[in-house]
Amino acid sequence: MKRKTIVHIIMLVVLAVGIALTVYGVTGRNIYSDAAAMMGTDLKSAMSYIREPSKLEEINLSKIGAEKAKAFLKGLGLDAGKVDAAIDERIAYENALANAKDREKFLAYAQSVDETVTADNLNDLLKDRERAESMRQAMAMAELGVDEATFQKLGENKEVLELYREGLPKLLENSHMTNAVTVQFIGIVLIVAALAYFLIQAMDIKPRAKVRAVNPKTARITAFLLNYALFIILGLILVVVSIIRIDFLSMNNILNILQNASTKGILALGCAGLIVLAGTDLSIGRVLGISAAVTASLVQSTTYVSRMFPTMVNPLGSFGLLVPLFASIAVAVAFCMINGFGVAKLHLHAFIVTLGTQLIAYGANCLYIESQPSGTAQALSTFDPNFLNVAAGAFYIGEIRVPLVVVYFLVAAAIVWVIWNKTKLGKNMFAVGGNTEAAAVSGVNVAKTIMLVYLMAGVLYGVAAFLEAGRITSVGANTGLNYETDAISAVVVGGVSFSGGVGTIQGVVIGAVIMQAIVYALQFLGVNPYIQYIIRGLIIILAVSIDVRKYIVKK
């Protein structure tokens, strides 16, 4: 059997397992929903009653249904005989009360105990509330065949309440319910991974030749100035700011700039590959928003009453931070696969397809956040300390606090540098970006290359979303707004050409840091926020103008 066939079989198994785990997770979450329904409460409050059953003070069996309540309590492992007896007694009591409130039945009973009562004067009896209520109680007692003390006991509903209070804590021992969210997201991750694999493999053809990316070197001063003109201009701006405010380049400010540049820099690393392909991505910010929302929902502290998933009673589940990280990546990859398929196979312009997925991701994010048990669209917050320590923590070099996110950024940059410069994918990417037709003639699988670059972008977006959730500590519907402009700005400032086929990772890293330094400098000088937008827009136009100029000179 060929190795490729074996891999196909393995990925089919992965897909099947993913579907099974997703179904398992959904059914596990339904256990909690059913429990809330059996208590007659909302999803937000249900967990508080499960944890502290003594808070539960009323059960409306007529609304729930006797058989459903019996099945629920027996499913909790309670004695079937006790359950049947208690539920039947309570249902009989509630039915007797309902009958006593029925006008026709009450009239018949009233006439049987008082011959003066007629249909004509029944309204007079009902107006005498005290007498009517007393007669209704007597009617219900007669139907049940009990005395007043027993009737009052039935009204207190103690037996049914005690059964609920005894059984509800057992739900916390139900691993199907408590692990449902974690298992469901593991399933989703596996499904996305398998589908991404098959989508890419569906475009596979045998490459006919290897194409090496062209990276011409020139020592001319004019070419140097043209290639690094924007760096020089922005560098001079920072020098001027440093002269105006000497404390601007303090170690704390530098670290703050690097910290703020890191997540957007990781986004830029993903976007850079798309621009090398002569494309773009307008969905970056909104994809980060939905991915960050998924991350936030999975890392909320279990002590937070209004958390998204109340059934996650163990901090971060049984898999630590891997589930929220891979869930974030899976969501981002799913959107990037849509973008990649639109560009590679449907031959849509990247601007159009990413504009569409931008709106889809925003709508999905709003729906996801609004699906909280509280029924509100409040931002997802109050994260587990372990998550914050990993995503937004720091380490010390002497007395200098270095944010971990800066290290993650540099590691991501190093990995992407290797992919760009030392792998076949990197060479093919530059070939496709430089001249698609020539690359195709040379044997490069253009569609597969595009899909792989979009896949890489999705992974980086997912990682950035995971880290950004920890950095901002609160994820709402507007999280990620305008992040695409920051990422694209960093890429273009870093020297990646919109004409395709040109760019370096070191340039992207420097571009991300310089753009964040400019933003920080403007804030440091107290420049009006609206003017800051204007300046950033001018920088983008200037960067693209220089890029176009370089392209014209090259031609």
Side-chain angles (χ1 to χ4, degrees), residues 235-288:
L236 289 174
I237 293 175
L238 295 177
V239 169
V240 172
V241 174
S242 301
I243 293 173
I244 297 173
R245 293 286 301 271
I246 298 176
D247 56 340
F248 172 67
L249 291 180
S250 65
M251 182 57 68
N252 285 336
N253 283 347
I254 292 173
L255 290 174
N256 284 335
I257 290 170
L258 292 175
Q259 182 177 7
N260 292 329
S262 294
T263 51
K264 292 176 182 177
I266 295 174
L267 290 176
L269 292 173
C271 178
L274 309 182
I275 294 179
V276 167
L277 292 174
T280 188
D281 191 348
L282 300 181
S283 67
I284 296 173
R286 294 308 186 182
V287 169
L288 177 137

Side-chain angles (χ1 to χ4, degrees), residues 223-235 542 546 550:
F224 175 84
L225 293 175
L226 190 61
N227 289 331
Y228 298 99
L230 195 57
F231 283 137
I232 295 171
I233 294 170
L234 297 180
L542 178 62
I546 294 174
K550 287 192 290 186

Side-chain angles (χ1 to χ4, degrees), residues 356-429:
T357 50
Q358 177 193 64
L359 297 174
I360 294 171
Y362 177 59
N365 189 21
C366 292
L367 288 173
Y368 188 76
I369 291 176
E370 286 184 358
S371 68
Q372 297 178 69
S374 62
T376 65
Q378 66 181 9
L380 299 168
S381 60
T382 314
F383 300 150
D384 189 279
N386 293 327
F387 166 70
L388 294 176
N389 289 337
V390 172
F395 65 95
Y396 286 85
I397 301 178
E399 296 182 356
I400 301 173
R401 181 182 182 276
V402 181
L404 285 173
V405 70
V406 177
V407 178
Y408 300 147
F409 175 36
L410 295 177
V411 170
I415 293 172
V416 178
W417 184 91
V418 172
I419 294 173
W420 277 29
N421 296 282
K422 301 297 179 180
T423 67
K424 179 180 177 181
L425 171 61
K427 296 172 184 178
N428 288 346
M429 177 183 72

Side-chain angles (χ1 to χ4, degrees), residues 58 241 301 329 360 427 447 452 479 519-520 540 555:
E58 184 180 358
V241 174
S301 173
I329 291 173
I360 294 171
K427 296 172 184 178
L452 287 172
T479 297
V519 172
Y520 198 85
I540 293 174
K555 295 291 285 185

Side-chain angles (χ1 to χ4, degrees), residues 149-169:
T150 304
F151 185 79
Q152 294 297 332
K153 184 179 178 182
L154 288 172
E156 292 172 358
N157 198 21
K158 285 186 177 179
E159 291 187 14
V160 174
L161 277 173
E162 285 305 317
L163 288 172
Y164 268 83
R165 290 168 180 168
E166 179 186 347
L168 287 176

Side-chain angles (χ1 to χ4, degrees), residues 30-262:
N30 286 341
I31 294 174
Y32 179 70
S33 301
D34 292 342
M38 289 300 102
M39 289 184 280
T41 185
D42 56 35
L43 294 175
K44 178 182 178 182
S45 306
M47 184 52 73
S48 64
Y49 292 129
I50 293 172
R51 288 184 179 278
E52 298 183 46
S54 59
K55 291 182 178 180
L56 195 62
E57 297 179 351
E58 184 180 358
I59 296 293
N60 188 341
L61 290 178
S62 297
K63 185 177 180 181
I64 295 171
E67 296 307 316
K68 288 183 178 179
K70 286 180 182 180
F72 173 67
L73 292 173
K74 291 175 184 177
L76 296 177
L78 300 181
D79 181 79
K82 286 176 63 178
V83 170
D84 287 336
I87 295 293
D88 289 341
E89 280 186 355
R90 179 62 186 179
I91 286 294
Y93 171 81
E94 292 184 359
N95 287 339
L97 287 183
N99 290 335
K101 292 179 180 179
D102 182 271
R103 185 182 180 88
E104 296 300 323
K105 292 179 181 179
F106 179 68
L107 173 61
Y109 174 79
Q111 288 176 332
S112 69
V113 297
D114 187 347
E115 296 179 353
T116 62
V117 177
T118 65
D120 294 331
N121 63 17
L122 179 61
N123 287 335
D124 295 331
L125 172 61
L126 295 175
K127 287 179 182 179
D128 187 350
R129 292 176 179 257
E130 186 175 345
R131 183 185 173 201
E133 288 301 319
S134 176
M135 193 173 288
R136 281 198 173 105
Q137 181 174 323
M139 176 182 171
M141 290 167 55
E143 182 177 335
L144 294 170
V146 298
D147 56 24
E148 187 174 350
T150 304
F151 185 79
Q152 294 297 332
K153 184 179 178 182
L154 288 172
E156 292 172 358
N157 198 21
K158 285 186 177 179
E159 291 187 14
V160 174
L161 277 173
E162 285 305 317
L163 288 172
Y164 268 83
R165 290 168 180 168
E166 179 186 347
L168 287 176
K170 297 178 184 295
L171 285 170
L172 295 176
E173 302 171 8
N174 188 333
S175 60
H176 190 183
M177 184 190 81
T178 56
N179 293 326
V181 175
T182 301
V183 172
Q184 181 180 349
F185 276 96
I186 292 174
I188 292 171
V189 169
L190 294 179
I191 290 171
V192 171
L195 291 179
Y197 170 81
F198 286 117
L199 188 59
I200 291 171
Q201 289 302 315
M203 303 175 186
D204 197 16
I205 60 173
K206 262 190 176 179
R208 287 175 289 179
K210 293 184 178 180
V211 177
R212 296 185 178 276
V214 180
N215 186 20
K217 295 182 179 179
T218 176
R220 297 178 183 176
I221 297 177
T222 54
F224 175 84
L225 293 175
L226 190 61
N227 289 331
Y228 298 99
L230 195 57
F231 283 137
I232 295 171
I233 294 170
L234 297 180
L236 289 174
I237 293 175
L238 295 177
V239 169
V240 172
V241 174
S242 301
I243 293 173
I244 297 173
R245 293 286 301 271
I246 298 176
D247 56 340
F248 172 67
L249 291 180
S250 65
M251 182 57 68
N252 285 336
N253 283 347
I254 292 173
L255 290 174
N256 284 335
I257 290 170
L258 292 175
Q259 182 177 7
N260 292 329
S262 294

